[in-house]
Amino acid sequence: HPRRWGRARHGVPPTAIAAAVTAAIALTGTINRPAVTLTSTGAIDLGQGISITPAPGWAVGNHAPGWARLDNAYATAEMEIKVKPADGTDPVAVLQGDINGLSNVSTTGLTNVKDPSAPVPKPLQSGHFQQEASIDYSADGTSRMGPTPVTGWFIELLNPSNHRSAFIIFTQNEDAPAQANSEGLAMVDSM
């Protein structure tokens, strides 16, 4: 079920959003995580005691045991999360394996994926995951008009003790509001 990337809705001109994005957004992976208050009504259960709290304005686009897709209000950014057994204890290797098998785990419809950065590992202080690896990417998404450029990041959260991981794909098109990246990182932190 490939995700179709649309234009901004709710009367916001795409050029205004694109200008704001051009002026304000910088994909920094997990280096700087600006404060975003998650005030959504509740966490989404992903199974095995793991949940994610949506940012304000984000809604569940699809949900099944161990998997969810969240969409922002403008349909210009989305996050897909899959909780699964890990194929190792190195977060970079697990992340790279998930990226290589992207067509098997993603419904985002991404093609022509390019990794413009090296994976960045870091330790976590979390009850569920102790390690993280992330990488920024650019790709083509699908829209009614054909391929459209998108950017985003892949994050792997890993618990090497119980071999559980969460593979997260964040994607935004050129019309996404400037805060979409920060909202995505805040939702990852909620896990």
Side-chain angles (χ1 to χ4, degrees), residues 67 80 82 84 97-108 110 167 169:
W67 180 82
E80 182 180 325
K82 181 173 184 170
K84 61 188 182 37
D98 283 341
I99 292 170
N100 292 342
L102 191 58
S103 63
N104 296 327
V105 297
S106 176
T107 59
T108 57
L110 298 175
F167 180 49
I169 304 166

Side-chain angles (χ1 to χ4, degrees), residues 55-72:
W58 286 71
V60 177
N62 208 339
H63 182 233
W67 180 82
R69 191 190 80 236
L70 304 172
D71 303 303
N72 74 346

Side-chain angles (χ1 to χ4, degrees), residues 39-67:
T39 58
S40 183
T41 56
I44 298 162
D45 182 18
L46 297 170
Q48 300 165 21
I50 300 168
S51 63
I52 187 167
T53 302
W58 286 71
V60 177
N62 208 339
H63 182 233
W67 180 82

Side-chain angles (χ1 to χ4, degrees), residues 100-176:
N100 292 342
L102 191 58
S103 63
N104 296 327
V105 297
S106 176
T107 59
T108 57
L110 298 175
T111 59
N112 197 26
V113 176
K114 294 179 182 79
D115 303 333
S117 65
V120 178
K122 77 173 196 175
L124 293 177
Q125 302 294 322
S126 166
H128 296 291
F129 302 104
Q130 292 74 46
Q131 298 177 6
E132 175 184 303
S134 63
I135 190 169
D136 295 338
Y137 73 86
S138 63
D140 291 326
T142 55
S143 73
R144 289 180 291 255
M145 304 294 281
T148 186
V150 296
T151 59
W153 33 262
F154 301 115
I155 290 181
E156 193 79 46
L157 303 177
L158 179 63
N159 184 329
S161 301
N162 67 9
H163 299 282
R164 180 76 36 214
S165 73
F167 180 49
I168 302 158
I169 304 166
F170 176 83
T171 304
Q172 62 186 355
N173 70 19
E174 63 187 13
D175 294 331

Side-chain angles (χ1 to χ4, degrees), residues 15-38:
T15 54
I17 294 172
V21 170
T22 302
I25 199 152
L27 291 176
T28 58
T30 59
I31 297 170
N32 297 317
R33 291 192 180 190
V36 171
T37 304
L38 300 178

